[in-house]
Amino acid sequence: MNSIINGIKALNSSEKHKKSNLKNIYHEKQKKELCALHSLNNLFQDDFYTKAKLDQICIELCPQEWLNPHRGILGRGNYNINIIMKALQLRDHEAIWFDKRRSISILNLSKIKGFILNIPSDYKIGGFIPLPWEKKHWIAVTKIADVYYNLDSKLDEPELIGSEDKLILYLENLIKSKDKELFVIVKKDVEFDSTWKLK
C-alpha cells in the first residue's frame, strides 16, 4: 500500500515539475498563417521577429513584385523557406537543408541551435472541410534546459521529446515521410566549417 502511495506522490511531483518547466518556455501559438514567424521566435525563445520584419524581407527579395512569391497573397503570412533563411541571417544563423538519404546520427548536436521542419498542414475550413490544395506548416524543435521540445505553434503547450537519443529517433521517424523536410539551424561559422556534421 505504501509503495502505491509513494508511486502516486512521485507521479504528482513529476507532473508538477513538468508544468513548472513548461511555464518557463517561450511558446507562441498559431495566428493566421504565421507559422514561420512562430517557429523562428519559438526556436530562439523570444519575440525578436515580427510580421513587419518578415514582410520587409519579402519586399527586399522581390521589390518589383505586386504578388510577392515569398508569402501568401492575402498578407496573412504563409512565408516560404527563403524568408526563414534571410530572417535567420539577421541573428547570425543559417538554415541547412538536411538530405533525408543520410542518417540523423551524423548530426553533431552540440553545434546545432535547433531544427525547423516543414510538414503537411491538417488545416480544415471550419474545422471540418479539408482544403482542395496542399498546405504546409513550419515547426521548431530545440533544446531547453538539457532536453528537446517540439514547439509547434498549433500545440496547446510545448511537447517534450526528451534526451538526444529520443530526439534522433523522433527526427528519424519524421524524415521517413516524403512530404516532410528538415532544416538544421546553426551559427554562420558552424555552417561555414561544417562542424554541424560528425566526422
Side-chain angles (χ1 to χ4, degrees):
M1 185 68 176
N2 284 339
S3 62
I4 294 173
I5 292 170
N6 288 336
I8 292 170
K9 284 181 179 178
L11 283 172
N12 288 339
S13 175
S14 174
E15 192 63 28
K16 285 179 183 176
H17 182 68
K18 178 186 173 185
K19 287 180 179 178
S20 175
N21 286 346
L22 291 179
K23 284 181 182 177
N24 296 324
I25 296 174
Y26 183 84
H27 181 227
E28 286 188 3
K29 303 289 185 63
Q30 185 76 11
K31 293 180 181 176
K32 299 180 182 178
E33 295 177 289
L34 298 174
C35 53
L37 169 65
H38 302 317
S39 65
L40 287 163
N41 283 337
N42 289 341
L43 178 75
F44 286 99
Q45 288 292 283
D46 60 29
D47 60 355
F48 174 82
Y49 295 102
T50 62
K51 183 178 182 298
K53 276 183 183 175
L54 299 193
D55 284 339
Q56 183 57 38
I57 293 172
C58 290
I59 293 167
E60 289 170 5
L61 290 179
C62 287
Q64 307 302 323
E65 297 287 342
W66 182 69
L67 289 177
N68 197 292
H70 300 295
R71 63 183 175 190
I73 59 173
L74 299 177
R76 293 168 54 84
N78 198 23
Y79 304 104
N80 66 20
I81 187 58
N82 297 299
I83 303 307
I84 290 175
M85 294 175 81
K86 290 291 288 183
L88 285 166
Q89 290 170 8
L90 297 177
R91 301 190 76 160
D92 202 35
H93 281 70
E94 298 285 348
I96 301 165
W97 173 77
F98 186 77
D99 185 346
K100 293 188 291 185
R101 293 171 296 181
R102 308 188 73 174
S103 170
I104 292 292
S105 61
I106 71 159
L107 297 176
N108 182 2
L109 295 174
S110 66
K111 292 285 187 177
I112 294 170
K113 172 67 179 173
F115 305 89
I116 289 180
L117 296 104
N118 191 232
I119 64 174
S121 172
D122 59 357
Y123 180 81
K124 294 180 176 64
I125 300 169
F128 300 101
I129 305 167
L131 292 171
W133 61 87
E134 183 181 62
K135 284 180 70 69
K136 291 294 190 87
H137 179 60
W138 297 105
I139 68 171
V141 170
T142 196
K143 188 177 186 179
I144 301 169
D146 296 325
V147 290
Y148 288 88
Y149 288 90
N150 171 6
L151 300 174
D152 185 347
S153 55
K154 288 187 177 180
L155 295 173
D156 290 332
E157 62 183 27
E159 176 186 67
L160 176 67
I161 296 170
S163 65
E164 290 187 356
D165 289 341
K166 288 183 178 178
L167 172 74
I168 289 169
L169 290 172
Y170 177 85
L171 294 178
E172 288 279 18
N173 187 56
L174 257 172
I175 64 172
K176 287 177 184 176
S177 174
K178 291 180 180 179
D179 54 4
K180 295 176 183 176
E181 298 296 335
L182 174 66
F183 295 88
V184 182
I185 312 304
V186 299
K187 288 186 176 179
K188 282 187 179 182
D189 61 325
V190 172
E191 189 268 344
F192 179 78
D193 59 24
S194 294
T195 50
W196 59 275
K197 294 181 290 184
L198 295 170
K199 301 296 183 185

